[in-house]
Amino acid sequence: MKAGSRFLNAVSAVALSASMVATGTGIVTLASASVAEAATISRVEVRGATRVSPETVRANITIVPGKSFSNADIDSSVKRLYSTGYFSDVSINVSGGTLVVTVSENQLVNQVVFNGNRKIKDDKLQAVVRTRSLGPYSEATAESDIQAIKDAYAGIGREDVTVTTQVVPIAEGRVNLAFVINEGDRTKITAIKFVGNNAYSNGRLEAVISTKESGIFSFLNRKDVYNADKLRADEELLRQFYYNRGYADFRVVSSDAVLDESTNEYTVTITVEEGERYDFGAVNVESTVEGVNAEELKGLVRTSEGSIYKAKDVQESISAISKRVASQGYPFARVTPRGNRDFGNRTIAVDYLVDQGERAYIERIEIRGNTRTRDYVIRREFDMSEGDAFNQEMITTAKRRLDALGYFSAVNISTQPGSASDRVVVIVDVQDQSTGSFGIGAGYSAGSGGGFLLEASIEEKNFLGRGQYIRLAAGRGDNSRTYNVSFTEPYFLGYRLAAGFDVFKNENDYDDDNYSYDEQGFSLRVTAPITERLSTTFRYNLSQMDYSGDKADLSSPYDRAISGSTWTRSSISQTLTYNSLDDAQLPHEGILASATQEYAGLGGTSDFYKLTAKAKWYYTVNDDADIIASLSGGAGHVFNTGGKMEVFDQFQIGSNEIRGFERNGIGPRSQKYGDAIGGTTYFTASAEATFPLPFVSRDAGFRGAIFADAGTLYGNDVDVTADDQVSGTGSSLRASVGLGLIWASPFGPLRVDYAFPIAKEDYDRVQNLKFGISSSF
């Protein structure tokens, strides 16, 4: 039989079948060829394509001349052509030795516009829709775009938004597409209720979750927006809160949100079951891995018998043991905690079992949900990549790092089986959140050169989604102006090195003292982690100081510079920082400590060696009342390594260290001119307790504070003239007590303190009221 006859016989067995396919224009009938046996064609003919080239059509079908095909190939080709979005109808038929592909083209979109939107700008909406100018128009795509717009509005609390489309045909098969938006009213959360909680009050639990009741500033922080995923994340926050306070049996029974359509307000109800509170029982480490000594690992355990059961202590113990075992050459070793509850004594004995886990490798790490943050910013928080041994502890560490970044409102890491039994796919689901903030701080000094001081700053922790930090700040006072720029690249040259720079300029005009003082400079820095809690920072610092004035007597320590001389300080410094705080914004427990050494003498006019240290410890006095105590201390000493020291080389302390005194308000002072000349040594200490304000919703972010500060600044290496004396070189103690008000505002943490000195010298300068930005130090 001839080849042509064989092909015709094959074609004679072809029966046309009709398939019903849903598209954006409704239900259309597609003609496809059902091939009884494999066949071949000699060419492909494209019909109906005008704007789309025939070559594009041929490139999107799986059938090629001279190669056998089947019904599955035809179905696949039809689906691929539809998936391009260019066609409203597709049919494929065989005619003789020719495959005939007939298409009907979608119209092209000339322009996409948004009407009625005020709360979300055009560029934000354009980023969430799939329809694009000069792209094909599809009703199915437009419908999905409507839902995407609704989801965007739901994210800012406007769930009753309505979106319709208007399609305006223009010439040559083109259309203009308009999304008509009625933004509606903003939904609010009128109440958050907890059911089943006995150990902790509603107010304490409200402070734990991220969903907040609507308040006067809710339109700025959007924390009163109901979101089902956000509520699931709040459930996890509650679990971690209870697990870390001894309630190992805690569970969230349910969490519901009910919308009152008449008021457009949600009521959120979370039902919990607290269970009993446990302490740690006996703690032990066992190993079934040959070569791993369990006794040597016991020193890494951070849980101790008799202490309150905390899930985070168990996790930190697992992490420490896993890292030690992996470093000994056992990458697949697994650390599993086994808890044995003693219900009578309400204790949980924990055995850490080290055994050989399954050999598994990471096939790929898949990032999902990030709309702003770049993929590589997320990937670099993993200490493993595709092809490495799978280690659950490294997954836990990566999640902890991602949570700590502050870029995401939710982070979830899960695993799926890979293409083989020893392959694992790691799925990282994140939700981006706002990382920019505006801060404002103020202060007042009643002394010489004093007055009101105001500083405004803008900062972005995730600049352009690259994980970079940038801050711009400017301040203005009655006699001063300040400017600051900071930038940090957290992964310099692809390593976990945070490199950056700081540039500053300060201008001060002290009219009462007839002189002005300007300083400008910069520092280059790089921070390297040593452990998860310990890091070191190296800096190069360069600053230039200029004095000018009208006094004729140039013997004052300050006025010696009036003739127009310029001083330059060039120094290097190194800082060790330890940070175990449980929360950077509102720490309840942990230590933040640092020690710095600085050497100046790399050129310039300053020659000294400085040592400084400071530490702050937080402790929760009453968990339910949310009363937090803190103790802090600091010290410093400067060694003269040159011929003499200048005023600005010595330490100057005041309102930041001992509230109730001016900046430069205490310490050695020129008797003839009254100038503060600083000191060579200082010590400070502070005790403070903060608490939520009574009768004020905790969601408002207000806290009160009571504090007591003490310290001293003494010693002097600055030369003075024969007719001048320096007072205050002794180590007499200064002390103050006071009250404070802290507000976690949408602009950043703000604070106002009123302090009253209870121990001071006659020549000290007092500043009772102080405004500023709250910080951990």
Side-chain angles (χ1 to χ4, degrees), residues 185-188 190 259-266:
D185 294 327
R186 184 170 177 268
T187 56
K188 299 179 180 180
T190 186
L259 177 65
D260 185 340
E261 295 185 359
S262 63
T263 61
N264 213 28
E265 294 178 336
Y266 278 102

Side-chain angles (χ1 to χ4, degrees), residues 421-672:
S421 59
D422 63 344
R423 295 292 185 270
V424 176
V425 177
V426 178
I427 308 296
V428 185
D429 288 295
V430 299
Q431 292 182 16
D432 282 302
Q433 67 178 0
S434 175
T435 54
S437 63
F438 171 75
I440 187 168
Y444 179 78
S445 171
S448 175
F452 279 101
L453 307 172
L454 182 67
E455 180 185 78
S457 64
I458 299 174
E459 71 174 17
E460 172 57 63
K461 295 187 294 185
N462 188 14
F463 184 59
L464 299 178
R466 301 174 183 270
Q468 298 166 331
Y469 172 87
I470 187 169
R471 182 178 185 270
L472 307 175
R476 182 66 187 260
D478 291 346
N479 303 295
S480 64
R481 291 165 297 281
T482 62
Y483 310 93
N484 295 274
V485 177
S486 295
F487 175 82
T488 302
E489 167 54 61
Y491 272 73
F492 185 59
L493 299 178
Y495 296 95
R496 190 167 280 123
L497 299 173
F501 63 84
D502 305 285
V503 180
F504 69 91
K505 182 176 178 62
N506 301 322
E507 301 174 354
N508 301 276
D509 297 314
Y510 297 102
D511 294 336
D512 292 344
D513 292 334
N514 299 311
Y515 74 88
S516 64
Y517 160 59
D518 295 341
E519 181 179 10
Q520 53 273 327
F522 70 89
S523 65
L524 304 176
R525 50 184 162 75
V526 59
T527 300
I530 300 174
T531 67
E532 286 290 322
R533 294 180 173 179
L534 185 65
S535 63
T536 183
T537 301
F538 296 90
R539 288 184 175 89
Y540 171 73
N541 313 284
L542 180 66
S543 60
Q544 177 179 292
M545 291 142 279
D546 298 295
Y547 288 81
S548 62
D550 300 326
K551 286 185 178 179
D553 189 345
L554 304 183
S555 59
S556 162
Y558 275 125
D559 297 341
R560 285 200 301 271
I562 288 177
S563 59
S565 298
T566 297
W567 280 269
T568 301
R569 178 192 300 156
S570 177
S571 69
I572 56 173
S573 63
Q574 185 256 338
T575 301
L576 276 175
T577 302
Y578 177 83
N579 188 345
S580 64
L581 300 184
D582 60 340
D583 188 293
Q585 301 300 323
L586 183 61
H588 282 76
E589 62 179 43
I591 297 173
L592 178 60
S594 66
T596 301
Q597 56 179 339
E598 180 183 8
Y599 171 71
L602 306 176
T605 54
S606 295
D607 288 284
F608 62 78
Y609 176 66
K610 279 184 179 179
L611 288 174
T612 58
K614 55 185 176 180
K616 194 165 189 176
W617 172 65
Y618 292 88
Y619 176 74
T620 301
V621 177
N622 186 303
D623 210 353
D624 186 43
D626 203 17
I627 300 175
I628 306 169
S630 65
L631 295 174
S632 61
H637 183 73
V638 58
F639 300 87
N640 186 348
T641 59
K644 64 175 183 177
M645 292 189 66
E646 301 296 340
V647 171
F648 42 78
D649 292 334
Q650 299 199 135
F651 293 110
Q652 303 275 4
I653 66 173
S655 59
N656 289 333
E657 294 80 18
I658 309 175
R659 285 161 286 193
F661 294 89
E662 282 187 23
R663 176 181 177 272
N664 306 338
I666 72 169
R669 191 174 296 275
S670 165
Q671 291 184 0
K672 184 175 182 179

Side-chain angles (χ1 to χ4, degrees), residues 757-774:
I758 57 176
K760 70 183 187 67
E761 296 296 323
D762 293 338
Y763 50 81
D764 291 338
R765 296 182 179 179
V766 173
Q767 175 185 319
N768 299 113
L769 193 64
K770 180 177 183 293
F771 299 87
I773 299 175
S774 177

Side-chain angles (χ1 to χ4, degrees), residues 1-263:
M1 183 182 293
K2 295 181 180 179
S5 300
R6 288 198 300 270
F7 181 78
L8 291 174
N9 287 340
V11 172
S12 66
V14 173
L16 294 180
S17 63
S19 301
M20 304 301 291
V21 177
T23 71
T25 56
I27 304 296
V28 300
T29 301
L30 301 181
S32 65
S34 179
V35 182
E37 61 182 84
T40 60
I41 48 94
S42 58
R43 71 189 189 93
V44 177
E45 180 181 340
V46 178
R47 299 176 182 175
T50 57
R51 294 186 302 271
V52 179
S53 68
E55 289 74 15
T56 300
V57 175
R58 294 188 181 97
N60 281 282
I61 63 176
T62 61
I63 303 169
V64 295
K67 184 178 179 180
S68 60
F69 65 94
S70 64
N71 186 60
D73 295 308
I74 293 178
D75 289 341
S76 175
S77 298
V78 171
K79 292 176 181 178
R80 286 183 60 174
L81 287 170
Y82 266 109
S83 68
T84 64
Y86 289 112
F87 309 110
S88 61
D89 194 9
V90 177
S91 66
I92 297 179
N93 296 282
V94 178
S95 177
T98 301
L99 187 75
V100 180
V101 182
T102 305
V103 297
S104 296
E105 294 178 324
N106 276 322
Q107 296 172 303
L108 285 181
V109 177
N110 180 65
Q111 188 178 13
V112 179
V113 297
F114 303 94
N115 295 328
N117 56 308
R118 292 180 314 228
K119 301 300 181 181
I120 302 181
K121 301 301 182 183
D122 286 6
D123 58 337
K124 301 294 185 182
L125 293 177
Q126 190 63 68
V128 302
V129 301
R130 294 167 52 200
T131 304
R132 294 287 185 267
S133 298
L134 303 182
Y137 169 73
S138 166
E139 281 195 17
T141 302
E143 288 295 326
S144 69
D145 288 343
I146 289 175
Q147 187 58 49
I149 294 173
K150 289 182 176 180
D151 291 342
Y153 273 93
I156 62 170
R158 293 182 176 269
E159 295 191 43
D160 59 344
V161 62
T162 60
V163 184
T164 59
T165 59
Q166 291 180 351
V167 181
V168 181
I170 57 177
E172 299 178 352
R174 294 174 179 262
V175 297
N176 286 336
L177 174 63
F179 291 97
V180 182
I181 301 168
N182 183 347
E183 295 180 322
D185 294 327
R186 184 170 177 268
T187 56
K188 299 179 180 180
I189 297 178
T190 186
I192 299 176
K193 301 178 181 179
F194 292 90
V195 178
N197 54 308
N198 297 307
Y200 296 100
S201 65
N202 286 6
R204 181 68 182 99
L205 297 183
E206 286 176 12
V208 173
I209 62 177
S210 59
T211 301
K212 304 298 182 183
E213 293 181 2
S214 298
I216 188 171
F217 291 106
S218 295
F219 73 98
L220 291 174
N221 55 37
R222 306 292 187 188
K223 291 183 178 180
D224 66 333
V225 174
Y226 167 70
N227 180 280
D229 292 334
K230 187 178 179 181
L231 195 56
R232 299 290 87 76
D234 285 338
E235 291 180 10
E236 182 60 25
L237 290 175
L238 287 171
R239 279 188 282 269
Q240 293 303 318
F241 175 80
Y242 273 95
Y243 291 164
N244 290 324
R245 286 160 175 79
Y247 294 88
D249 296 328
F250 171 84
R251 69 187 186 97
V252 177
V253 178
S254 64
S255 57
D256 303 298
V258 178
L259 177 65
D260 185 340
E261 295 185 359
S262 63
T263 61

